[in-house]
Amino acid sequence: MHKYLTKRAIHSFLSLAGLLVLVFFLARLTGDPGNLYLPIDATLEARQEFTKKHGFDDPIYVQFGRYVSDLAQGNLGDSLRKQRPALDVVMEAIPVTLSLAAVAMLVALFGSIIVGSLAAYRPGGVFDRISSISSLAGASAPDFWVAITAILIFSVTLQWLPTSGMGGPLSWIMPIAILIIRPFGLLVQVVRGSMLTVLSSAYVKTARAKGVKESAVIFIHALRNAMLPVITVAGDQAAGIANGAVIVETIFGWPGVGKLMIDSIIQRDFAVVQTSILVTAIVILSINIVVDITYAILDPRIRHK
Amino acid sequence: MSDPKVPVLSVRDLAVAFHTGSGEFDAVKSISFDLHRGETLAILGESGSGKSVSSSAIMGILDSPPGFIRGGTAYLDGENLFEMSQTARRNLMGDKIAMIFQDTLAHLNPVYSIGWQISECFKVHRGFSTKEAWGRAVDLLEKVQMPNAATRAHDYPHQFSGGQRQRIMIAMALALEPEILIADEPTTALDVTVQAQILNLLIALRNESNMGLILITHDLGVAAEIADRLIVMNQGEIVEQGLVHEVFAKPKHPYTQRLMNAIPGRGPYRDLVVSDEIAKPILEVRDLTKHYAVSSGLFSNSTNSIVKACDGVSFDLHKGETLGIVGESGSGKTTVANMLLKLVEPNSGTATLDGEDIFSVTKDRLLLLRRRFQAVFQDPFASLNPTMNVFDIISEPWRIHKDVMAKDRYRQRVLELLDAVGMVADHIDRYPHEFSGGQRQRIAIARALALQPEIIICDEAVSALDVSIQAQIIKLLGELRDEFGLSYLFIAHDLPVVRELSDRVIVMKAGNIVEQGTVQQIFEAPKNPYTIDLLAANPIPDPAQMMARRTARGIGI
Amino acid sequence: MYILGADALGRSMVARLIVASQNTMAIAASAVAFSMIVGGTLGLISGYSRSWISGAIMRFADIIMSFPSLLIAVVILYIFEPGVFNLVLVLGVTRMPIYMRTARAEVLEIRERLFVSAAYVMGASKFRLIGRHIAPLVLPTLTTIATLDFAFVMLGESALSFLGIGIQPPEITWGLMVAQGRNYLQSAWWLAFLPGLFIMFSTLSLNLLSGWVRIALDPVQRWRLEVNGGNNE
């Protein structure tokens, strides 16, 4: 188990290192990094001073070394817009996104396990057909469109819910609902498929031949096995939720990392963009490690590798 | 308990069908039989005979849909299983009627410990506490002779060997001392020596508890070995039933007769006269060695143990000779084949073909040498590319070795080869999935013959086939050998098959050759204790020999 | 021409929807083709090669997979110019890992099959083994994924265009139409609603299609289609 987890952790770390390198070179591919970091109307002198100050005229490997050592010290540059360290700006936005994502993920995961299992128990039945079509529709719907349609109906026409902003419980309803649509739709299908496979497996047959009750067959013998692929997909959905958060935060005006990134891009605040990417990456990789540990706990075959 | 004359299970007119792409398919067509206490009933049949489907239906674990019971009754202690409520039936299952399966790895839940899985029986049917049930599970594991039962109860299915897993399945099935045990090919995936142990265990347990045992098998030897009565099934119907020794002595139905005649290993021994012309071997294998390092350290540099898959194996193969290599799983026989075919790199050793060592020649030279030795593999369903038709499959060797034949002659030659392996010209444009297992193996043989090799390495080439098909392919291989002067390296775990075709035999165990000699020497006068064990463990489908061995086991008739 | 009304500049809604559909489809098709060809090839190499290249390719897939595709796309399109070519490239690259992983997993399984060994024993070259024996068996699976992915890429493209870093006006796609219509939500709701509905119906159809394709390709599952077709209430 330690071998497996260590290997997975090394892979995660390599992914992070790969992203760091990618961001570094992408930022320098455009030629003059001043274009990215400075306002568009910056004077030539300002640009030259900037280049000199940050050593952009040094050889690329010297620059890379400096980049890495700056990263190690948590020095990710200053936000042009707010005139303070980019890391501080991002860390303020992180809790908003995390709470939004955590609530959405929990609702999507537990909801999909219940709906998916029920659908798989009678494949082709009424419940299966309804849940299959609606989960497919959910996975197919463009979230930004659902969001503005929902605003049109619930905020503009019915005036039940606020159009935007982060506030009381009512303001959470639409963002969470929009955010879970895609992962929920996808997870329902994964749970259903996985459950169908497991329910037709040989060991479920053995359990039935032993005279185990149907409820125990499903919730004890089948569910734990069926969860294995679901957990993997749910882990991958962490990235999907982050995608959704960008849209939801932008539309509903939530001060999370997604909105921060889009705002920073529009205002050409590259230090914040870069920091947001790295912090998001670290969060997602941590989630991946949690997923790996859960997997190892559930599956003894992984534990004994 | 009850009247011994009254059957414990009575099946009448059972019919089972499946939904398929081309309508409904009748897998079982109205079969009837009885099972008594303390009796072992063997249901014998080849693949597709409906033998497993009927037991799944009785057990209530038919894959449904697509399968469904069309009609019939199955009375257990006077109650019809097919008409009782789900709850009533569930209470019987695992308690009065239990089942064990062939593929034990798939049939045990991978994420729960085996102790948990066995103790579940007591919790479900007897309402035992967790602790009490666990204690009983450990007792049962001891009863099926699991070493270190108390500790091993905490382990998971993947940590056991195939034989041990079957013991676990048996422990689970017998937990509540059922009246009926259905064993569906319980020893098919196991080595013969392990098979003998499991069969002995089953018989001992049956004698002890006086249960009725239904043994579903394709193996006439196994049926002859432990069954009292025999049912022969073919295409969903019972074609013959009766006492085992009577059926074996005097099979009445033509299908049973065909089946009995197909049993390999009963003809005269082959006796190849080694003349001067063939005295010089065409293939000389010397000190062939393959060791695998098994690592368990984190950074896999620290090797903990070495598996000697093949440890200094030497032998010769002469022209026109068939050399059989027998051994159980892990003996290294397949490793030898894979090394000779260059699918696996040896650590050391040579294999000399006409003075050239195939392990040290250049790549170009090897390509030329490859024409002289070809292979036929075990699983005819897997050894043909499903996206290629018969013409493409058989002509592929010429597309690789372009100078062998002009393109315009391909078709003619493929037709000749098809004819040689007993297929017809119509087959040339068809795809592998349109053929049966035996036909596919014929196609694979035709492909091996395409380059007119001198040596064909047959790795378990008939093991996956039904007995009657097996007999046909063995016959074909023999004819081709005599016609084209081929030499075979015939690798198999099945002793009678090796006896049928070989001139000389090598017995392997744990990477070493333990004994070699002419086929008669090995089968009539084995010297090595392992060879003797192997021969003794092999079930013999012969009434006379069977009687002696059954008496020795205390089965009686 | 004006059945569905017109936009703020008086341009026909129907005409714009049609032009937008062409752009949306063309971009999605090119991106899917790109990721299927490049990703599939990399997956084949990764599955067949036993050297370090195999691991390196999979780490590359991991890196792309680990991070939110939308964020990566946003950054890349920010650094470079948001144009059709870059958009296709970004969408294609972010969707590559699924082909790489699937192709690799399939190759790892297929290369162990006996007919591959049989061809190797005959002396078949690497190119013949991959091209004739392995790739033809991987292709159906990749095609099924591509159908599904087409829907996913359409959603990705429309999200990027909606955020203003995808297709730039005066070019038009459905996603951009939703973004532009958003400003007129209270006066002319259909400007944003209709293009979104079109996106959803297209992706939903593709999802359903891919589901059926998968069942039809699987001999074990095929009876379901036939049985359901046979006694459709």
Side-chain angles (χ1 to χ4, degrees), chain A residues 206 208 210 220-221 225 303, chain B residues 93 107 112 117 120 125:
Chain A
T206 312
R208 288 193 172 131
K210 274 202 285 192
I220 297 176
H221 285 267
N225 284 288
R303 278 210 295 281
Chain B
M93 281 166 25
H107 279 89
Y112 292 103
Q117 294 188 51
E120 190 184 23
H125 291 285

Side-chain angles (χ1 to χ4, degrees), chain A residues 11 15 19 26 30 36 136-137 139-142 144-145 148-149 152 182 239 242-243 246 261 265 268 270 277 281 284, chain C residues 59 63 66-71 74-75 78-79 155 158-159 162 178 185 189 192-193 196-197 199 203-204 207-208:
Chain A
H11 284 178
S15 298
L19 187 83
L26 280 179
T30 46
L36 293 176
L136 256 182
S140 310
F144 56 89
W145 171 75
I148 59 173
T149 309
L152 181 66
R182 285 266 278 281
N243 281 342
V246 174
M261 263 192 83
I265 280 177
R268 304 196 67 78
F270 189 75
I277 279 280
I284 288 176
Chain C
R59 289 297 77 69
I63 294 174
S66 310
F67 305 110
S69 51
L70 195 58
L71 292 191
V74 164
V75 174
Y78 166 61
I79 294 172
L155 290 179
S158 52
F162 174 80
V178 176
L185 214 50
W189 55 269
F193 183 79
L197 199 65
I199 299 175
T203 51
L204 185 60
N207 272 318
L208 286 173

Side-chain angles (χ1 to χ4, degrees), chain B residues 7 12 19 45 51 57 74 87 106 119 181 213 225 242 271 285 359 365 369 441 451 463 465 499 540 546:
Chain B
R12 289 292 172 270
H19 294 293
K51 58 188 193 303
T87 322
S119 55
L181 175 65
L213 174 61
E225 193 92 350
D271 191 15
V285 174
F359 297 134
R365 191 67 204 144
L369 283 179
Q441 202 60 308
L451 292 172
S463 306
L465 305 173
R499 181 190 180 285
I540 301 162
M546 168 184 92

Side-chain angles (χ1 to χ4, degrees), chain B residues 331-454:
Chain B
S331 64
K333 57 185 193 305
T334 296
T335 310
V336 170
N338 286 344
M339 282 191 284
L340 292 176
L341 294 170
K342 304 260 315 181
L343 289 165
V344 169
E345 281 295 309
N347 293 99
S348 64
T350 58
T352 316
L353 195 68
D354 273 349
E356 284 184 277
D357 175 19
I358 60 167
F359 297 134
S360 51
V361 293
T362 61
K363 226 176 158 185
D364 294 342
R365 191 67 204 144
L366 178 70
L367 194 61
L368 287 175
L369 283 179
R370 276 207 188 273
R371 297 177 187 179
R372 303 174 58 183
F373 59 100
Q374 287 293 306
V376 176
F377 294 97
Q378 172 174 6
D379 186 353
F381 287 88
S383 69
L384 305 177
N385 185 333
T387 64
M388 289 164 75
N389 67 18
V390 170
F391 174 73
D392 287 337
I393 288 169
I394 298 181
S395 62
E396 187 173 24
W398 306 318
R399 297 174 206 273
I400 295 166
H401 302 266
K402 290 208 166 52
D403 52 327
V404 172
M405 195 174 311
K407 240 185 176 144
D408 53 343
R409 287 204 52 224
Y410 284 5
R411 203 168 178 87
Q412 181 54 35
R413 184 70 188 129
V414 169
L415 289 172
E416 286 168 24
L417 285 167
L418 281 177
D419 185 55
V421 296
M423 305 272 289
V424 295
D426 277 358
H427 291 146
I428 195 164
D429 292 321
R430 296 205 199 157
Y431 287 84
H433 71 265
E434 297 173 69
F435 295 102
S436 67
Q439 287 174 314
R440 290 184 198 204
Q441 202 60 308
R442 287 173 193 270
I443 297 166
I445 293 170
R447 174 177 62 186
L449 290 173
L451 292 172
Q452 297 181 297
E454 293 154 49

Side-chain angles (χ1 to χ4, degrees), chain C residues 43 47 58 99-111:
Chain C
M58 283 337 278
Y99 298 95
M100 292 161 75
R101 286 185 172 188
T102 313
R104 177 184 143 93
E106 291 259 311
V107 172
L108 285 179
E109 189 259 321
I110 292 167
R111 64 176 295 165

